[in-house]
Amino acid sequence: MSSKRCRESMKLEVAECLEHSLEQLRDIWDEIGICEEQRVERQNVVLHHMRNLLSEMVSEERDLRRRLLASVENCGQEVVTISKELGLQPFQPEEGLTILQLEKSLRQKVESLNKEKSERMAKLKQLKDREQHLCDLLCTTPYYIPSGTVPTTEQLETLKDHIQTLTTEKESRQQILSGTKKKIISLLADLEQGPNTSFERDIVCEEEDSFLLSKENMEALRVLHQELEFKQKENQGIADHLREQIASLWNRLLYPAEERDEYLASHQGYKPSDIKVLREEFARLEELKMQNLKRVTQASREEIALWWDKCYFSRQQRNEFAGFYDDEFTEELLLQHDEELARVKAYYEKNKEILECIKKREEMWKQMLEFEKRANDPNRYNNRGGNLLQEEKERKKINRDLPKLEKILAEQISSYEEKTGAPFLVDGCRFMDYVQMQWAAHEQEKQLRKEERIKAKHLQTENEMTFGSKPNTPAKRRNPNCSKTPNKRLKGTPKRVLRPTGARLAHRKALAERNADMSHAFSTSTISGGHHGPVNSNMSITSACSSYSDFAREFDAKRKNNCRSSSASSPTSLSSSRSRITLL
C-alpha cells in the first residue's frame, strides 16, 4: 500500500515538474516568437528526450540488476568453493533478501572466507617451517598436507600436535645425547683409550647441536655406550677376580695385614694399567706359592673346611675329596685343592639364598633352645631389670617366625629339587627329614626332662613321707638398732650367779622324763616292726640318737634291695630308657 502511494506521489511530482518545465518553455517560446508549428516540433523533441532519458535510465537499472545478479552468482560460487577448501559448511543466506542485500551479504562472506584462508595459509607456512627444521634434525618424515590446498582446522591442530611431539622427542634425545656423551667420555677415560671411529669422534669432539638426532644415530650411540660399559664391567670383573685371587694367596702365604691394606689402598681402580699391576702381583705371588706348597696347601684346606661348613656338607661328602688327607704336597695336589675350593664356592653361590635361610633357621633354633633353657632355670625370677618381659617377647617372636621360615625353606628346596632332579642335602640327609628329626629329638628330650622332674618330685615326696619334711625356716633377722658387738658388763658391777630355784628344778625333771620316754620308743622300734626288747629306764638322749641311726641304715638297705628287685623284674623299661638316651 505504501509503495502504491509512493508511485502516485512520484507521478504527481513528475507531472508537476513536467508541467512547470513546459510552462517555462512556453514563456520562452512566446518571448522568442516561435510559431505554433515549431512549438509542436519542440514539444515533440522534449517528449523524445524524456523518453530517451527514461529509457536510458531503465536500461542502466536493468544493467545494474544484471551485474548484481552476476555478482550474486559469482560470490555464491566463490563462497561454496572457499568453504569447501576450508572444510566449512556451505553458507546459507537469509531468506527474503533483495538482490542488493544478497549481493552484499555474499560479498562480505567471500571477504571473510578469503581472510580466513590467508590466515590458514600463513599459519601453515609457519608450522611447516618449524616442522621441517625438526624433521631435518631428527631425520624423520614431515606430516603430509597436500600442496596447493587450504588446510582444515583439524589438519592444523594435528600439525601442531606433531610439532609438539617432535619437539618433545628432540628434547628427550638431546638429554640422552648429553648424558650419554658424558658417560662415554668417562668410560673412554676409564678404559684409557680415545675415539677410534668417525662416529666416536663426532660424539666426543663435535658440538652437540651439529649431531643429527636420528633413530639410527641414537641406536648407534646406545650400542657404543653398551659396548664401553661391557668393557668396563669386564675390566671390573677381571680386577675383582685378580684381587680375590691375590687375597687368597695372601691368606695362604700369611701376608701381614699392613702390607695388604697398603697395596689395596694404592690399587683400587680397574683401568688397564691397574689390571696390569694386579696381574704382575698375582704372578709374583704364584711364584711364592710354588715355593711354599705345604703352607699354601694347608691354608687352602682351612678355607675349604670353612666353605664346607657354610654349605652344610656331611662327613661323607667331605671324604669324597681324597686330596684333603694327602700329605704329599705337590703342585698337582694344590691344583686339586683350588678346584675343590672353586667347586664349593660355586655351589654356595648357586644356592646362596637357600643356605642363608638355613643358617638363619639354625640361629633361630639355637635361640629357641636357649630361651627354653632359661625358662627351666629357677633363678630367672630373681632378675628385676625387665629382661623377663623382653625374653618372653623374643621367645614368642621366634616361635612364630620359625615355622614360617621352615615353610619358605620347604618351598625353595622343593623348587630346587624339581629343577635339578637331585635332593638338597644338609649334613648328609634331606633338609626336611633333618628338620623333622631335630624336632622329634627335641620333643623326646623335653619328655625325658619332664619324666625326670616327675620322678624327682615323687622321690622327694617319698623321702618327706618317710623322714619328714625339712623346715624352711627363714634366717634370723638382725635388729638394725642393736650394736654389732655384745654388751659388756660395766666395770665394777658385781657378777650375778643364778642358782636353781624349786620351779626350775621341777621343770628340768619333767624334761628328763620326757626324753627318757622318747629314747625308749626309738630303742624298741625296728624296720619290720616285730620285736620289742626290754625297756631301759636309764636310757639317755645319746642312746636314742644311736637307735635312730640304726633305723635309717636298715631302711636305706631295704629300699636299695627293693630297687634292685624292681629293676631286675622289668628290663624292658631300662632298655627303653637307654634307647631314649641314645637318641638324644
Side-chain angles (χ1 to χ4, degrees):
M1 189 69 180
S2 60
S3 60
K4 185 177 181 181
R5 284 198 298 268
C6 288
R7 286 196 299 270
E8 293 294 334
S9 175
M10 184 178 179
K11 287 179 181 180
L12 292 175
E13 289 180 0
V14 170
E16 289 178 358
C17 182
L18 181 60
E19 184 65 27
H20 180 68
S21 297
L22 289 175
E23 287 293 333
Q24 289 179 350
L25 288 174
R26 288 191 190 100
D27 292 339
I28 293 171
W29 289 339
D30 288 339
E31 290 179 3
I32 295 173
I34 296 175
C35 63
E36 190 65 28
E37 293 178 0
Q38 290 179 348
R39 288 184 180 187
V40 172
E41 290 178 1
R42 288 181 181 274
Q43 287 179 359
N44 292 332
V45 171
V46 171
L47 291 174
H48 178 71
H49 280 295
M50 289 184 64
R51 288 191 185 97
N52 289 338
L53 176 61
L54 292 174
S55 177
E56 289 177 0
M57 291 179 64
V58 170
S59 178
E60 289 178 0
E61 294 300 324
R62 285 177 178 174
D63 186 54
L64 176 61
R65 183 183 63 180
R66 181 184 57 77
R67 289 197 307 271
L68 289 175
L69 291 174
S71 177
V72 167
E73 184 178 358
N74 293 333
C75 289
Q77 292 178 357
E78 194 171 356
V79 165
V80 172
T81 303
I82 299 175
S83 297
K84 187 176 181 180
E85 290 178 353
L86 296 176
L88 301 176
Q89 295 293 331
F91 175 70
Q92 296 293 336
E94 297 179 3
E95 296 181 357
L97 296 178
T98 62
I99 296 175
L100 188 61
Q101 292 174 340
L102 180 60
E103 190 272 340
K104 182 180 179 181
S105 176
L106 291 174
R107 182 163 38 81
Q108 290 177 349
K109 186 64 177 178
V110 169
E111 291 176 357
S112 65
L113 291 176
N114 282 326
K115 182 179 179 181
E116 184 176 355
K117 178 180 177 181
S118 301
E119 290 176 354
R120 288 193 186 183
M121 295 302 293
K123 188 68 175 178
L124 175 64
K125 185 178 184 304
Q126 180 184 1
L127 294 176
K128 274 294 184 181
D129 292 340
R130 290 177 56 191
E131 183 196 33
Q132 190 62 43
H133 173 70
L134 293 172
C135 290
D136 293 340
L137 186 61
L138 299 175
C139 297
T140 186
T141 305
Y143 177 72
Y144 175 72
I145 294 179
S147 59
T149 60
V150 181
T152 62
T153 306
E154 291 77 8
Q155 288 176 332
L156 290 176
E157 291 298 327
T158 305
L159 182 58
K160 286 181 181 179
D161 295 339
H162 182 63
I163 292 173
Q164 183 62 36
T165 303
L166 293 177
T167 304
T168 304
E169 183 67 19
K170 173 195 169 185
E171 293 174 355
S172 175
R173 292 185 185 183
Q174 282 180 340
Q175 290 180 357
I176 294 173
L177 173 63
S178 179
T180 308
K181 179 179 179 179
K182 293 179 181 178
K183 293 178 182 178
I184 288 175
I185 293 174
S186 176
L187 289 171
L188 290 174
D190 290 340
L191 296 173
E192 296 179 343
Q193 70 180 49
N196 298 324
T197 63
S198 60
F199 182 74
E200 293 178 1
R201 286 191 290 272
D202 291 340
I203 295 173
V204 176
C205 304
E206 299 296 333
E207 295 293 333
E208 295 181 4
D209 296 337
S210 62
F211 185 79
L212 293 179
L213 302 174
S214 63
K215 290 184 178 180
E216 293 77 11
N217 287 347
M218 298 303 294
E219 179 65 20
L221 182 69
R222 185 186 64 82
V223 171
L224 175 61
H225 180 240
Q226 286 184 348
E227 290 177 354
L228 295 177
E229 271 191 340
F230 178 77
K231 289 182 181 179
Q232 184 192 44
K233 290 180 180 179
E234 187 178 13
N235 287 348
Q236 288 179 352
I238 294 172
D240 293 339
H241 182 64
L242 286 172
R243 289 190 182 94
E244 290 179 0
Q245 290 180 325
I246 290 172
S248 177
L249 291 174
W250 279 343
N251 293 331
R252 295 176 182 180
L253 296 172
L254 303 178
Y255 249 65
E258 295 80 6
E259 295 184 11
R260 300 185 189 187
D261 297 338
E262 182 180 358
Y263 183 85
L264 292 176
S266 59
H267 300 87
Q268 295 180 353
Y270 42 83
K271 296 181 179 180
S273 57
D274 297 324
I275 293 175
K276 181 180 178 182
V277 174
L278 291 173
R279 282 175 175 165
E280 292 174 354
E281 177 67 12
F282 177 72
R284 186 183 69 83
L285 293 175
E286 280 288 330
E287 293 180 1
L288 291 177
K289 181 185 75 173
M290 300 308 298
Q291 297 172 5
N292 300 272
L293 284 176
K294 181 177 180 180
R295 187 173 64 179
V296 173
T297 304
Q298 290 175 347
S300 179
R301 286 177 179 176
E302 293 177 359
E303 190 174 0
I304 290 173
L306 179 64
W307 284 98
W308 277 346
D309 294 338
K310 286 185 177 181
C311 296
Y312 299 96
F313 278 10
S314 64
R315 177 57 56 186
Q316 181 180 0
Q317 289 175 299
R318 303 183 186 202
N319 291 338
E320 291 177 358
F321 178 52
F324 193 84
Y325 308 99
D326 193 350
D327 293 335
E328 295 183 3
F329 300 99
T330 61
E331 183 179 355
E332 183 180 358
L333 180 63
L334 181 59
L335 181 61
Q336 293 177 2
H337 281 70
D338 292 339
E339 292 175 353
E340 175 65 14
L341 182 60
R343 184 185 72 84
V344 178
K345 284 184 177 180
Y347 176 83
Y348 180 83
E349 290 297 329
K350 182 179 179 181
N351 306 293
K352 185 175 181 180
E353 185 178 359
I354 298 177
L355 293 172
E356 287 181 352
C357 287
I358 292 175
K359 181 181 178 181
K360 183 178 179 181
R361 189 257 173 197
E362 291 298 315
E363 293 175 354
M364 294 175 67
W365 178 266
K366 291 179 182 178
Q367 290 179 358
M368 184 190 73
L369 296 181
E370 181 65 23
F371 285 138
E372 290 184 356
K373 182 179 178 182
R374 293 179 185 177
N376 295 326
D377 186 7
N379 297 325
R380 65 194 293 262
Y381 297 103
N382 297 331
N383 189 353
R384 298 183 180 180
N387 293 333
L388 289 178
L389 182 59
Q390 184 65 25
E391 287 182 7
E392 184 65 18
K393 290 181 179 179
E394 294 178 0
R395 185 183 65 81
K396 289 182 179 180
K397 184 177 183 300
I398 290 176
N399 292 337
R400 181 179 65 252
D401 295 342
L402 185 58
K404 294 181 181 179
L405 183 59
E406 290 178 351
K407 183 179 179 181
I408 294 173
L409 273 171
E411 294 175 356
Q412 292 178 347
I413 292 174
S414 177
S415 176
Y416 169 85
E417 292 178 348
E418 289 179 0
K419 291 179 181 179
T420 60
F424 189 86
L425 302 180
V426 175
D427 289 338
C429 63
R430 297 184 64 181
F431 176 73
M432 296 313 299
D433 297 339
Y434 168 79
V435 171
Q436 292 175 1
M437 291 170 59
Q438 201 174 30
W439 278 107
H442 177 62
E443 293 296 329
Q444 193 170 9
E445 183 180 2
K446 288 171 63 176
Q447 186 66 24
L448 287 176
R449 285 201 301 265
K450 182 178 179 182
E451 292 177 358
E452 289 175 359
R453 287 196 301 270
I454 293 174
K455 289 180 180 179
K457 190 172 182 180
H458 284 324
L459 181 60
Q460 181 181 359
T461 304
E462 291 178 359
N463 290 336
E464 289 178 354
M465 292 176 64
T466 304
F467 304 109
S469 61
K470 181 180 179 181
N472 294 325
T473 57
K476 185 176 181 180
R477 296 183 179 179
R478 184 183 298 274
N479 189 355
N481 297 325
C482 296
S483 175
K484 294 183 179 180
T485 58
N487 294 330
K488 295 182 179 180
R489 184 171 56 88
L490 295 177
K491 187 176 181 180
T493 305
K495 185 176 181 180
R496 296 177 60 187
V497 179
L498 296 177
R499 300 181 181 275
T501 60
R504 288 193 182 94
L505 290 174
H507 180 65
R508 288 181 180 179
K509 185 176 181 181
L511 287 175
E513 291 177 356
R514 187 170 60 181
N515 289 336
D517 294 338
M518 291 175 64
S519 300
H520 171 71
F522 281 121
S523 63
T524 57
S525 63
T526 60
I527 297 176
S528 59
H531 178 71
H532 297 277
V535 179
N536 187 2
S537 60
N538 297 324
M539 184 177 291
S540 64
I541 297 176
T542 306
S543 63
C545 293
S546 176
S547 300
Y548 178 76
S549 301
D550 295 339
F551 164 75
R553 282 195 298 271
E554 291 180 7
F555 181 80
D556 289 339
K558 186 173 182 180
R559 183 171 58 82
K560 290 179 181 179
N561 291 332
N562 291 335
C563 291
R564 290 193 189 97
S565 62
S566 62
S567 62
S569 61
S570 58
T572 307
S573 62
L574 180 61
S575 61
S576 63
S577 62
R578 287 178 179 174
S579 63
R580 292 174 184 172
I581 296 172
T582 305
L583 284 174
L584 290 174

PDB file of all heavy atoms in Angstrom, residues 417-430:
ATOM      1  N   GLU A 417      64.696 -79.073  43.978  1.00  0.00           N
ATOM      2  CA  GLU A 417      64.726 -80.498  43.643  1.00  0.00           C
ATOM      3  C   GLU A 417      63.962 -80.789  42.351  1.00  0.00           C
ATOM      4  O   GLU A 417      64.333 -81.698  41.600  1.00  0.00           O
ATOM      5  CB  GLU A 417      64.137 -81.296  44.806  1.00  0.00           C
ATOM      6  CG  GLU A 417      65.009 -81.262  46.057  1.00  0.00           C
ATOM      7  CD  GLU A 417      64.390 -82.009  47.224  1.00  0.00           C
ATOM      8  OE1 GLU A 417      63.197 -82.364  47.137  1.00  0.00           O
ATOM      9  OE2 GLU A 417      65.103 -82.242  48.217  1.00  0.00           O
ATOM     10  N   GLU A 418      62.899 -80.026  42.083  1.00  0.00           N
ATOM     11  CA  GLU A 418      62.192 -80.215  40.814  1.00  0.00           C
ATOM     12  C   GLU A 418      63.047 -79.795  39.626  1.00  0.00           C
ATOM     13  O   GLU A 418      63.017 -80.431  38.574  1.00  0.00           O
ATOM     14  CB  GLU A 418      60.894 -79.405  40.833  1.00  0.00           C
ATOM     15  CG  GLU A 418      59.828 -79.967  41.763  1.00  0.00           C
ATOM     16  CD  GLU A 418      58.577 -79.110  41.764  1.00  0.00           C
ATOM     17  OE1 GLU A 418      58.577 -78.096  41.026  1.00  0.00           O
ATOM     18  OE2 GLU A 418      57.618 -79.440  42.486  1.00  0.00           O
ATOM     19  N   LYS A 419      63.812 -78.723  39.792  1.00  0.00           N
ATOM     20  CA  LYS A 419      64.643 -78.246  38.686  1.00  0.00           C
ATOM     21  C   LYS A 419      65.850 -79.150  38.450  1.00  0.00           C
ATOM     22  O   LYS A 419      66.188 -79.459  37.315  1.00  0.00           O
ATOM     23  CB  LYS A 419      65.112 -76.819  38.973  1.00  0.00           C
ATOM     24  CG  LYS A 419      64.007 -75.788  38.929  1.00  0.00           C
ATOM     25  CD  LYS A 419      64.555 -74.400  39.237  1.00  0.00           C
ATOM     26  CE  LYS A 419      63.448 -73.355  39.211  1.00  0.00           C
ATOM     27  NZ  LYS A 419      63.968 -71.995  39.547  1.00  0.00           N
ATOM     28  N   THR A 420      66.517 -79.552  39.538  1.00  0.00           N
ATOM     29  CA  THR A 420      67.762 -80.310  39.402  1.00  0.00           C
ATOM     30  C   THR A 420      67.541 -81.815  39.362  1.00  0.00           C
ATOM     31  O   THR A 420      68.387 -82.547  38.844  1.00  0.00           O
ATOM     32  CB  THR A 420      68.704 -79.972  40.562  1.00  0.00           C
ATOM     33  OG1 THR A 420      68.067 -80.304  41.810  1.00  0.00           O
ATOM     34  CG2 THR A 420      69.031 -78.477  40.556  1.00  0.00           C
ATOM     35  N   GLY A 421      66.420 -82.288  39.924  1.00  0.00           N
ATOM     36  CA  GLY A 421      66.191 -83.730  39.979  1.00  0.00           C
ATOM     37  C   GLY A 421      67.037 -84.430  41.017  1.00  0.00           C
ATOM     38  O   GLY A 421      67.157 -85.659  40.997  1.00  0.00           O
ATOM     39  N   ALA A 422      67.654 -83.684  41.939  1.00  0.00           N
ATOM     40  CA  ALA A 422      68.501 -84.255  42.987  1.00  0.00           C
ATOM     41  C   ALA A 422      68.064 -83.685  44.325  1.00  0.00           C
ATOM     42  O   ALA A 422      67.613 -82.538  44.405  1.00  0.00           O
ATOM     43  CB  ALA A 422      69.974 -83.931  42.731  1.00  0.00           C
ATOM     44  N   PRO A 423      68.191 -84.465  45.406  1.00  0.00           N
ATOM     45  CA  PRO A 423      67.788 -83.953  46.728  1.00  0.00           C
ATOM     46  C   PRO A 423      68.779 -82.914  47.242  1.00  0.00           C
ATOM     47  O   PRO A 423      69.975 -82.968  46.946  1.00  0.00           O
ATOM     48  CB  PRO A 423      67.787 -85.208  47.609  1.00  0.00           C
ATOM     49  CG  PRO A 423      68.767 -86.124  46.955  1.00  0.00           C
ATOM     50  CD  PRO A 423      68.661 -85.867  45.481  1.00  0.00           C
ATOM     51  N   PHE A 424      68.263 -81.971  48.009  1.00  0.00           N
ATOM     52  CA  PHE A 424      69.106 -80.958  48.652  1.00  0.00           C
ATOM     53  C   PHE A 424      69.470 -81.479  50.039  1.00  0.00           C
ATOM     54  O   PHE A 424      68.599 -81.664  50.893  1.00  0.00           O
ATOM     55  CB  PHE A 424      68.360 -79.628  48.752  1.00  0.00           C
ATOM     56  CG  PHE A 424      69.222 -78.498  49.204  1.00  0.00           C
ATOM     57  CD1 PHE A 424      69.964 -77.772  48.298  1.00  0.00           C
ATOM     58  CD2 PHE A 424      69.303 -78.173  50.552  1.00  0.00           C
ATOM     59  CE1 PHE A 424      70.767 -76.728  48.712  1.00  0.00           C
ATOM     60  CE2 PHE A 424      70.105 -77.136  50.974  1.00  0.00           C
ATOM     61  CZ  PHE A 424      70.838 -76.413  50.050  1.00  0.00           C
ATOM     62  N   LEU A 425      70.769 -81.725  50.263  1.00  0.00           N
ATOM     63  CA  LEU A 425      71.233 -82.381  51.482  1.00  0.00           C
ATOM     64  C   LEU A 425      71.784 -81.365  52.466  1.00  0.00           C
ATOM     65  O   LEU A 425      72.456 -80.403  52.082  1.00  0.00           O
ATOM     66  CB  LEU A 425      72.311 -83.413  51.145  1.00  0.00           C
ATOM     67  CG  LEU A 425      71.903 -84.520  50.159  1.00  0.00           C
ATOM     68  CD1 LEU A 425      73.065 -85.458  49.918  1.00  0.00           C
ATOM     69  CD2 LEU A 425      70.691 -85.287  50.672  1.00  0.00           C
ATOM     70  N   VAL A 426      71.499 -81.611  53.728  1.00  0.00           N
ATOM     71  CA  VAL A 426      72.067 -80.850  54.841  1.00  0.00           C
ATOM     72  C   VAL A 426      72.614 -81.862  55.832  1.00  0.00           C
ATOM     73  O   VAL A 426      71.857 -82.657  56.393  1.00  0.00           O
ATOM     74  CB  VAL A 426      71.010 -79.951  55.511  1.00  0.00           C
ATOM     75  CG1 VAL A 426      71.595 -79.267  56.731  1.00  0.00           C
ATOM     76  CG2 VAL A 426      70.492 -78.924  54.531  1.00  0.00           C
ATOM     77  N   ASP A 427      73.940 -81.851  56.005  1.00  0.00           N
ATOM     78  CA  ASP A 427      74.614 -82.844  56.854  1.00  0.00           C
ATOM     79  C   ASP A 427      74.297 -84.264  56.402  1.00  0.00           C
ATOM     80  O   ASP A 427      74.110 -85.179  57.217  1.00  0.00           O
ATOM     81  CB  ASP A 427      74.224 -82.652  58.322  1.00  0.00           C
ATOM     82  CG  ASP A 427      74.848 -81.394  58.901  1.00  0.00           C
ATOM     83  OD1 ASP A 427      75.863 -80.930  58.329  1.00  0.00           O
ATOM     84  OD2 ASP A 427      74.331 -80.878  59.898  1.00  0.00           O
ATOM     85  N   GLY A 428      74.192 -84.470  55.093  1.00  0.00           N
ATOM     86  CA  GLY A 428      74.043 -85.808  54.543  1.00  0.00           C
ATOM     87  C   GLY A 428      72.624 -86.301  54.408  1.00  0.00           C
ATOM     88  O   GLY A 428      72.417 -87.415  53.916  1.00  0.00           O
ATOM     89  N   CYS A 429      71.621 -85.556  54.825  1.00  0.00           N
ATOM     90  CA  CYS A 429      70.238 -86.008  54.691  1.00  0.00           C
ATOM     91  C   CYS A 429      69.401 -84.866  54.125  1.00  0.00           C
ATOM     92  O   CYS A 429      69.830 -83.711  54.125  1.00  0.00           O
ATOM     93  CB  CYS A 429      69.676 -86.478  56.033  1.00  0.00           C
ATOM     94  SG  CYS A 429      69.599 -85.179  57.286  1.00  0.00           S
ATOM     95  N   ARG A 430      68.219 -85.224  53.647  1.00  0.00           N
ATOM     96  CA  ARG A 430      67.335 -84.199  53.103  1.00  0.00           C
ATOM     97  C   ARG A 430      66.941 -83.220  54.206  1.00  0.00           C
ATOM     98  O   ARG A 430      66.773 -83.597  55.368  1.00  0.00           O
ATOM     99  CB  ARG A 430      66.096 -84.837  52.493  1.00  0.00           C
ATOM    100  CG  ARG A 430      66.400 -85.743  51.316  1.00  0.00           C
ATOM    101  CD  ARG A 430      65.136 -86.274  50.697  1.00  0.00           C
ATOM    102  NE  ARG A 430      64.337 -85.197  50.131  1.00  0.00           N
ATOM    103  CZ  ARG A 430      63.161 -85.374  49.546  1.00  0.00           C
ATOM    104  NH1 ARG A 430      62.650 -86.588  49.456  1.00  0.00           N
ATOM    105  NH2 ARG A 430      62.494 -84.351  49.055  1.00  0.00           N
TER     106      ARG A 430
END
